[in-house]
Amino acid sequence: MSYQVALGFEDGVTRFITCGPSETVADASYKARINIPLDCRDGACGTCKSLCESGDYDGGDYIDDALTDAEAEAGYCLPCQMVPRSDLVVQIPTTSDVAKTTAAAHPATVTSVERLAEGAFALTVELDDRGALAFLPGQYVNVSVPGTDQVRSYSFSTGPDADHLSFLIKYAAGGAMSEYLAQRCAPGDRLDLTGPMGSFFLRESPRPLLLLAGGTGLAPVLSILESLAVAGSGDRPVHLVYGTSRDTDVVYTDLLDQYTTRLPGMTWDLVVSDPATAFPNTGYVTGLIRPEHLHGGTADIYLCGPPPMVESVRTFLDTEGLEVTHFYYEKFTPATVVGDGAAAAGADVASTTPVETPAVATPAEVAPVAVDNAAAHADPEPAEITTAPDELATAGPVATGPVTAERVSEAAPAVATREAVVIPAAPIAARPVGFRPRIPGLFRAPVTGSRGSTGPQPAIAARPVGFESRVPGVFGPGSSPGPAAEEKTSVIAARPAGYVPRPVTPQPVLSTSVPRTTSTALSLSGGERSETITSSTGVVSGEVHPGITHSDAQFDARMALELGAVELTMGRLDAARLAEFRMLAESANQYIRGDRFLDPARFTAANAQFHEYLFRCTGNEALLQAYRILEVTRVMNSVLPDARWVSEDIVPEHLEIVTAFENGDRDAARYLIRRHTEHAKATMRAALADKSVGAAS
Ligand code: FES
């Protein structure tokens, strides 16, 4: 018997579908070309969690992580599992617009497949339209496994500018992708890629880098290294610790040596956990982290490996008292066990939605599970999970045994700032060649727009007339910058001389049907705050923020994400999206007049919409969620309600950023975003100074 299911969306739209006998709501939605949020389609990830407002249904099989008993009691359901027993009304937690869009697909042809080692393959593909895919170093795509309905996720091991794109893939006997690569894959094979995905990518920064790679978690690290080399960041201190379980998993040592030539500031170490290793270092990645690799707390850590590796590194840093400014990580969890113990990882993925089989588990759950540290990018099958050595959970990232881990990555803009660390104010980038900023003062209230304006470069954060008691701009309260602070030249430089970014083909950005993410917050000791995003495709992003310098840290983190979003969206916004972008800028700007807030609260809300827009345009749910878990808006809401002064540059910069997109001027956009960040921080500092004066008086 068939039933009618009313799907209600967040924007008020309702769509009706017909569910056939034994058909899930998700399958019926798919047939109706409605892309409700989905990932695993197996009751494991919770991505599809919705609220059933009326009707009777069989909830199907799922794990508690996806839907708790309490949630089920409250009426929540998993459309990927639920089979109607009557007509239903289901509230879908997304907008109809999102549900109707499709993920960005990138058909590709295999150009080579190479077994690098017993435990790893290199797969290289050529995209039909290379210009259509922009990605950031560290991101990944979903890849369909030919001849199956399986989809796997793999990070690029090549840089964003490469013509042909490569992946480093863990071999797991019996796995769909593994067996395809081992037995059938040949040049000329067609593959479907979808993406890019994930929010684990190299942020622009001059800070030293400590890169930690577990097994095939080396792939995104290679992409990062290539990006650094292409960008001419040779002098930037970079240290890599690459760990594997066995000697037979070790790959690309020659390539890493080559990078030390291209990146003179780079050094690297290899560690193998197998005591019988022929390599010099035995043990875990943490055993090779030295205080000097953290450069007094100024280094950024990028880690790609299984959850125990992430947790052990965090524990190690805490235990050793090593301070870290930014900690970005991408985790891989083992296959989720569903029902009778069969691993979900091998389950059919019958969606056209590009998904990877989910296996999201908390670190605590993962800890007792043997996870090959080469599990990153691993094929999830077979579904065999063994008990890990005791030391796995605490001492290191690796364990041996049958590999069952799937690339359910935890991609993270993990800004792990320890409480005592002060994030240095980011100097503004060098002005891009040819970029002509507006004439100073042109946009004193009322603002009429900024297109086509030219003129000399204004100093930033000039002290506003009559504003003597505080010091806005790049100077902290109490300092004396003089009458007007000169704009600094860049340390976070614009693109290095000689670096020419890959041209992109102007085209609309395809929104993604990648399902919504969920996020959880976790308070850490010492005032730190940690956020974890569990997204579609199993990507989990985490962020940790300090208790203070919080405002600057949040704006810096937003800037880092926005610069990434620029790379993914520049030249790809169609006229409608550009118009919406401008509308959002103007919407925010209406609450400012010159250097005065007219309505700080409404400005904060509208400003959040404006800044979120680029992330929405990336079609990358993880990036969007990474933006949303920043506390920029919360901090603004707490600081600005009574604020009067606002940097007069905020309004024109909003418009100029849009103009840069309209002109396809990437350098101008990057410059303006950096500049805008400084003015936003200046505004916040002024408001904070006012609050403290008010509190003291
Ligand atoms: Fe429904 Fe994962 S639980 S898509």
Side-chain angles (χ1 to χ4, degrees):
M1 182 171 182
S2 296
Y3 297 103
Q4 290 292 302
V5 178
L7 302 175
F9 293 94
E10 286 177 343
D11 52 355
V13 172
T14 301
R15 295 285 304 274
F16 288 88
I17 59 172
T18 301
C19 256
S22 303
E23 189 173 38
T24 66
V25 170
D27 286 345
S29 299
Y30 166 63
K31 281 186 186 171
R33 296 178 170 277
I34 299 173
N35 295 325
I36 64 174
L38 290 173
D39 193 348
C40 69
R41 304 182 72 111
D42 205 34
C45 69
T47 298
C48 65
K49 190 184 302 176
S50 302
L51 179 65
C52 184
E53 294 191 331
S54 74
D56 185 27
Y57 57 91
D58 176 350
D61 295 326
Y62 52 84
I63 61 173
D64 198 55
D65 276 355
L67 187 71
T68 65
D69 290 344
E71 288 171 327
E73 279 285 308
Y76 286 91
C77 56
L78 298 176
C80 73
Q81 296 298 297
M82 68 189 303
V83 175
R85 291 188 186 129
S86 72
D87 291 347
L88 302 178
V89 177
V90 180
Q91 289 298 332
I92 306 296
T94 189
T95 65
S96 61
D97 179 49
V98 170
K100 284 185 287 187
T101 57
T102 57
H106 302 280
T109 301
V110 173
T111 57
S112 73
V113 58
E114 181 184 0
R115 191 151 194 169
L116 298 172
E118 184 182 317
F121 284 92
L123 174 68
T124 302
V125 302
E126 179 178 19
L127 299 188
D128 291 2
D129 183 0
R130 178 63 184 87
L133 175 61
F135 68 91
L136 301 167
Q139 287 191 303
Y140 68 93
V141 287
N142 290 336
V143 183
S144 61
V145 184
T148 76
D149 56 4
Q150 301 288 301
V151 178
R152 301 290 184 264
S153 298
Y154 300 111
S155 297
F156 299 103
S157 59
T158 37
D161 297 323
D163 289 330
H164 289 195
L165 303 175
S166 295
F167 308 96
L168 176 59
I169 298 174
K170 166 72 183 176
Y171 175 74
M177 182 61 87
S178 294
E179 295 311 322
Y180 163 69
L181 293 175
Q183 298 175 20
R184 310 193 308 277
C185 183
D189 283 5
R190 298 288 288 167
L191 295 178
D192 291 322
L193 277 54
T194 308
M197 309 284 191
S199 57
F200 177 77
F201 64 89
L202 177 67
R203 269 61 168 180
E204 293 188 22
S205 163
R207 290 186 288 270
L209 289 171
L210 174 58
L211 307 175
L212 306 174
T216 46
L218 183 65
V221 169
L222 290 173
S223 186
I224 286 171
L225 290 173
E226 180 63 23
S227 175
L228 290 169
V230 170
S233 305
D235 294 333
R236 187 173 176 182
V238 178
H239 185 70
L240 163 68
V241 183
Y242 169 35
T244 72
S245 297
R246 299 157 298 203
D247 289 3
T248 51
D249 294 328
V250 176
V251 298
Y252 285 138
T253 53
D254 289 348
L255 182 58
L256 293 174
D257 283 339
Q258 290 170 24
Y259 276 121
T260 61
T261 302
R262 298 174 67 193
L263 297 167
M266 175 187 166
T267 54
W268 72 282
D269 280 326
L270 170 69
V271 62
V272 179
S273 60
D274 183 352
T277 179
F279 292 101
N281 298 315
T282 304
Y284 301 112
V285 165
T286 48
L288 293 185
I289 297 176
R290 303 279 178 261
E292 56 266 31
H293 298 148
L294 299 176
H295 296 265
T298 62
D300 292 348
I301 295 181
Y302 287 80
L303 185 162
C304 187
M309 181 175 172
V310 175
E311 296 313 312
S312 64
V313 167
R314 291 177 69 159
T315 301
F316 171 80
L317 295 172
D318 270 346
T319 304
E320 298 296 313
L322 298 173
E323 292 185 344
V324 179
T325 303
H326 298 283
F327 182 15
Y328 305 92
Y329 57 87
E330 184 169 61
K331 285 190 203 175
F332 303 90
T333 62
T336 301
V337 177
V338 180
D340 62 1
D348 285 348
V349 180
S351 172
T352 56
T353 306
V355 296
E356 69 180 2
T357 316
V360 180
T362 65
E365 291 162 336
V366 170
V369 177
V371 181
D372 190 310
N373 78 325
H377 319 274
D379 214 336
E381 299 166 338
E384 184 178 354
I385 297 177
T386 60
T387 302
D390 290 341
E391 67 271 23
L392 175 65
T394 55
V398 292
T400 56
V403 177
T404 61
E406 152 167 46
R407 187 194 188 290
V408 177
S409 62
E410 182 155 348
V415 186
T417 316
R418 302 184 67 182
E419 56 188 318
V421 175
V422 176
I423 298 177
I428 295 173
R431 185 179 311 141
V433 175
F435 175 68
R436 308 283 297 178
R438 65 191 174 81
I439 298 170
L442 181 65
F443 301 105
R444 293 182 191 281
V447 175
T448 56
S450 64
R451 292 190 217 203
S453 60
T454 60
Q457 170 64 32
I460 66 164
R463 186 176 304 172
V465 176
F467 187 80
E468 297 295 333
S469 63
R470 58 197 175 212
V471 186
V474 294
F475 302 89
S479 60
S480 300
E486 291 298 322
E487 180 175 351
K488 293 181 177 181
T489 53
S490 174
V491 174
I492 305 177
R495 188 169 297 116
Y499 174 68
V500 180
R502 174 182 198 83
V504 296
T505 306
Q507 58 180 329
V509 171
L510 294 177
S511 296
T512 180
S513 62
V514 172
R516 60 193 278 123
T517 60
T518 57
S519 65
T520 56
L522 153 78
S523 292
L524 301 180
S525 60
E528 290 183 344
R529 190 161 183 278
S530 173
E531 297 269 8
T532 300
I533 305 169
T534 303
S535 100
S536 62
T537 67
V539 176
V540 181
S541 300
E543 300 207 7
V544 183
H545 297 293
I548 191 58
T549 65
H550 203 61
S551 177
D552 278 5
Q554 295 299 319
F555 282 92
D556 285 337
R558 184 185 74 180
M559 179 184 72
L561 281 172
E562 285 182 324
L563 292 175
V566 166
E567 299 301 313
L568 296 173
T569 54
M570 181 58 70
R572 296 165 185 272
L573 304 184
D574 59 20
R577 285 180 181 269
L578 288 169
E580 186 175 357
F581 198 19
R582 182 164 291 278
M583 183 196 73
L584 289 169
E586 290 169 347
S587 174
N589 287 354
Q590 67 181 307
Y591 300 113
I592 295 176
R593 179 70 49 83
D595 63 357
R596 286 288 178 266
F597 278 121
L598 300 180
D599 189 331
R602 287 188 171 157
F603 169 77
T604 297
N607 186 62
Q609 291 291 313
F610 170 73
H611 283 276
E612 182 178 294
Y613 189 68
L614 280 187
F615 300 105
R616 287 166 51 197
C617 287
T618 64
N620 183 324
E621 185 69 13
L623 275 186
L624 176 59
Q625 193 65 15
Y627 166 74
R628 286 178 173 168
I629 66 172
L630 292 177
E631 295 193 329
V632 170
T633 301
R634 193 186 68 81
V635 170
M636 288 175 69
N637 275 326
S638 70
V639 172
L640 291 184
D642 300 320
R644 300 293 305 276
W645 182 83
V646 54
S647 167
E648 64 181 358
D649 294 284
I650 295 293
V651 159
E653 282 167 357
H654 282 164
L655 299 170
E656 287 169 352
I657 288 168
V658 178
T659 300
F661 274 83
E662 291 168 341
N663 294 337
D665 192 338
R666 186 191 322 237
D667 286 341
R670 291 156 53 89
Y671 167 71
L672 286 162
I673 285 170
R674 291 190 180 95
R675 204 166 176 272
H676 186 61
T677 301
E678 293 309 311
H679 291 133
K681 286 157 59 176
T683 299
M684 294 294 289
R685 288 175 182 174
L688 283 163
D690 257 1
K691 279 175 81 85
S692 64
V693 168
S697 59

